[in-house]
């Protein structure tokens, strides 16, 4: 079957097998920030935006993205770099494996709720597995980023 997807702002048309997962489609197109972790929708490593909403690409057939926009971390470099510096400053990027999924979900959070409570942050990031940090560094980084925005930092979309 043939699909056409806007992948990080570029139209990609390709003949695919009907059982191809979205994670494999984006990785086949050089989007290596999208990681394969659990393959059971439990770790958040494969998070992408499908029409601006975070989805777990290991659980979505590529055919479902036909006619839609898909964004990966590669397509969100400016937002990701700005926020990622706050995560790094808190020492919450120890091995870095979870960072792409964590950053994707944090960007989605900031877009939906620019001033979340700590409980809302925890709830939003609950599906992201991080084996190194215990999540407090990420929480501190998100809080610091939100304060930065309140003080006049650049605005996330």
């Amino acid at each position: 079957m043939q699909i056409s997807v806007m992948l990080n702002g570029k139209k990609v048309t390709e003949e695919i097998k009907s059982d191809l997962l979205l994670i494999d489609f984006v990785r086949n197109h050089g989007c290596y920030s999208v990681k394969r972790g659990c393959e059971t929708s439990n770790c958040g490593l494969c998070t992408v935006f499908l029409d601006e909403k975070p989805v777990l690409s290991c659980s979505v057939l590529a055919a479902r993205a036909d006619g839609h926009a898909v964004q990966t971390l590669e397509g969100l470099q400016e937002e990701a770099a700005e926020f990622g510096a706050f995560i790094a400053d808190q020492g919450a990027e120890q091995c870095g494996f979870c960072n792409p999924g964590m950053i994707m979900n944090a960007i989605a959070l900031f877009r939906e709720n620019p001033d979340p409570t700590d409980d809302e942050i925890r709830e939003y990031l609950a599906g992201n597995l991080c084996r190194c940090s215990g999540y407090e560094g990420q929480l501190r980084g998100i809080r610091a980023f939100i304060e930065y925005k309140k003080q006049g930092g650049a605005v996330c979309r």
Side-chain angles (χ1 to χ4, degrees):
M1 77 183 308
Q2 186 175 58
I3 64 168
S4 184
V5 175
M6 287 298 290
L7 179 58
N8 294 326
K10 295 180 184 173
K11 187 174 183 178
V12 176
T13 301
E14 184 175 317
E15 190 72 27
I16 64 164
K17 292 183 177 182
S18 60
D19 64 347
L20 182 70
L21 292 173
L22 186 55
I23 186 174
D24 296 316
F25 179 82
V26 298
R27 287 184 62 81
N28 289 344
H29 289 279
C31 300
Y32 301 119
S33 69
V34 184
K35 303 226 184 344
R36 177 172 267 110
C38 66
E39 295 189 69
T40 59
S41 304
N42 288 308
C43 71
L45 297 174
C46 67
T47 302
V48 300
F49 289 167
L50 182 61
D51 292 336
E52 307 252 346
K53 298 291 182 193
V55 298
L56 299 170
S57 63
C58 76
S59 299
V60 176
L61 291 171
R64 298 275 317 260
D66 185 32
H68 297 277
V70 176
Q71 284 185 299
T72 68
L73 199 56
E74 288 83 358
L76 299 168
Q77 287 298 300
E78 192 173 311
E79 284 177 275
E82 183 181 39
F83 169 64
F86 285 84
I87 292 293
D89 189 50
Q90 295 298 321
E93 63 166 5
Q94 293 174 26
C95 82
F97 196 67
C98 70
N99 278 2
M102 190 77 68
I103 290 173
M104 291 293 290
N105 280 296
I107 289 172
L109 169 66
F110 301 143
R111 289 177 178 183
E112 274 187 41
N113 184 354
D115 193 18
T117 66
D118 286 355
D119 285 341
E120 289 170 327
I121 294 168
R122 286 185 188 100
E123 182 179 327
Y124 213 89
L125 301 181
N128 289 276
L129 177 66
C130 176
R131 295 177 187 255
C132 298
S133 73
Y135 305 99
E136 289 305 311
Q138 284 96 342
L139 181 61
R140 286 191 310 270
I142 289 170
R143 276 272 143 240
F145 182 73
I146 290 168
E147 288 306 312
Y148 164 75
K149 293 295 185 187
K150 286 180 181 178
Q151 300 300 319
V155 177
C156 282
R157 290 185 256 169

